[in-house]
Amino acid sequence: MPAAVGLVVEDVETGWSGAVVRVEKAGGVHVVVLEDWKGRTRSFPLGPGFLEEGQPVRLVPPVAPPPAARTASGAAPLRPGRTASGSFAVEGARARVARGSRIWVEGKHDAELVEKVWGDDLRVEGVVVEGLQGVDHLAAAVAEFRPGPGRRVGVLVDHLVTGSKETRLVADALRAAPGAADHVLVVGHPYVDVWQAVRPARLGLDAWPVVPRGRPWKEGVLEALGWPRDTPADVARGWQRVLGTVRTIADLEPTLSGRVEELIDFVTGDQLDR
């Protein structure tokens, strides 16, 4: 199997799993560099000893694509001088001291996905992303945060669609803090889980599996994909494989990426409150 950029594999001997970043020569030997979901990289000799989708594979150097080639998602690969979100990279910039405003997201996976694509931009802007322990706690969190001039909060909510429980809870939270409404922006995506915001083509799928109502969504998807699903560690590894396929903003559905960009614009505009 060609070691194409973005391919997610696991080294059998060490258990290290990650996406292919590049293939290079080291000491006259071809090695493949794998990046895990935390952004850590490690090099392994090309050849046998890898698993892809649970099946043993022998990795070989990739064939150089033609200049006009595009990624498996149909999007252009990361361009030099650009961040994963498509913004111009600020070379050598130090992280800015955190501003008073915040972005809240539901769950660890949401935060990891936002960090992977927008992390460089957020550090330059001094924006901190924090976890929200469920939209059920939004009203209490807003009251505790006390938003106002220079302290905006942008909230990303899962499954924010008409008639959903999440929509009702958001409305209740905003009604409970009428004086702070100008400094709070709540947006959402239509997906039951943020995994669905990753374009299915990145995993070689035409569409995400349909999970019957009442069945835990992540476990249902892992079963449909033929991946281990019985323990929390299995779910964590499944997400690592999904996240490892994301290289740029083009690998995400616009229904998520557009909302995150909207939140960043909102919280970085907090100087207008002063």
Side-chain angles (χ1 to χ4, degrees), residues 198-209 225 253:
V198 178
R199 292 183 183 272
R202 294 302 294 138
L203 288 86
L205 304 172
D206 293 328
W208 281 95
L225 295 177
E253 299 288 359

Side-chain angles (χ1 to χ4, degrees), residues 14-32:
T14 64
W16 182 280
S17 179
V20 174
V21 176
R22 62 185 177 275
V23 172
E24 58 190 13
K25 274 195 173 182
V29 177
H30 272 109
V31 298
V32 58

Side-chain angles (χ1 to χ4, degrees), residues 53-64:
E53 297 276 342
Q55 300 299 315
V57 295
R58 177 186 179 91
L59 293 183
V60 298
V63 178

Side-chain angles (χ1 to χ4, degrees), residues 122-139:
L122 294 170
R123 279 182 283 279
V124 168
E125 294 290 349
V127 176
V128 175
V129 176
E130 298 177 342
L132 177 67
Q133 300 303 312
V135 71
D136 312 66
H137 305 288
L138 179 59

Side-chain angles (χ1 to χ4, degrees), residues 48-210:
F50 297 94
L51 297 178
E52 195 273 333
E53 297 276 342
Q55 300 299 315
V57 295
R58 177 186 179 91
L59 293 183
V60 298
V63 178
R70 302 179 73 82
T71 64
S73 67
L78 184 63
R79 290 171 288 173
R82 298 277 187 163
T83 67
S85 73
S87 302
F88 285 103
V90 182
E91 299 296 336
R94 298 178 63 184
R96 175 176 170 174
V97 175
R99 63 177 73 219
S101 297
R102 296 287 188 269
I103 290 178
W104 294 345
V105 298
E106 288 190 270
K108 179 181 177 183
H109 296 173
D110 304 60
E112 289 171 347
L113 185 58
V114 170
E115 161 62 26
K116 182 156 191 178
V117 176
W118 288 275
D120 290 339
D121 305 20
L122 294 170
R123 279 182 283 279
V124 168
E125 294 290 349
V127 176
V128 175
V129 176
E130 298 177 342
L132 177 67
Q133 300 303 312
V135 71
D136 312 66
H137 305 288
L138 179 59
V142 170
E144 181 180 357
F145 185 76
R146 299 177 64 184
R151 281 180 63 81
R152 290 183 174 183
V153 59
V155 187
L156 181 68
V157 177
D158 296 340
H159 200 226
L160 193 65
V161 296
T162 302
S164 69
K165 175 193 73 172
E166 290 78 7
T167 300
R168 176 178 55 79
L169 290 171
V170 166
D172 291 344
L174 294 179
R175 279 195 296 268
D182 292 339
H183 310 291
V184 178
L185 175 64
V186 181
V187 300
H189 57 74
Y191 308 115
V192 174
D193 194 281
V194 77
W195 293 26
Q196 290 177 287
V198 178
R199 292 183 183 272
R202 294 302 294 138
L203 288 86
L205 304 172
D206 293 328
W208 281 95
V210 176

